Amino acid sequence: MSEARRFQQLRGHLSYLKLNDAAEALNRVLDQARTERMSLPAALERLLEIEVEATEARRLPPGSGSPACPSPGP
């Protein structure tokens, strides 16, 4: 399998699993891994970190400083 085909398949798997931010960052993270000679686990950790940060940001209520914390009452 060619590298381009493998890349497309990996990106498709990430999208299927609804890891859309990781799918969008895949090319950037792979390029970074090559230029910085990152290990495979380090590259995977970075890719998943991007997805986790995006998920946490979506779960924050607007104007909140921390996840799922109700605003103090008057």
Side-chain angles (χ1 to χ4, degrees), residues 16-58:
Y16 179 79
L17 294 170
K18 300 196 184 323
L19 302 174
N20 297 322
D21 290 282
E24 289 177 19
L26 180 61
N27 194 39
R28 179 171 38 92
V29 170
L30 291 177
D31 286 344
Q32 180 183 16
R34 282 187 199 112
T35 59
E36 296 179 15
R37 297 182 183 214
M38 294 169 69
S39 67
L40 181 56
L44 289 172
E45 190 277 331
R46 178 63 191 131
L47 190 64
L48 292 175
E49 179 182 40
I50 290 167
E51 186 64 38
V52 167
E53 288 173 355
T55 300
E56 287 175 344
R58 286 190 297 271

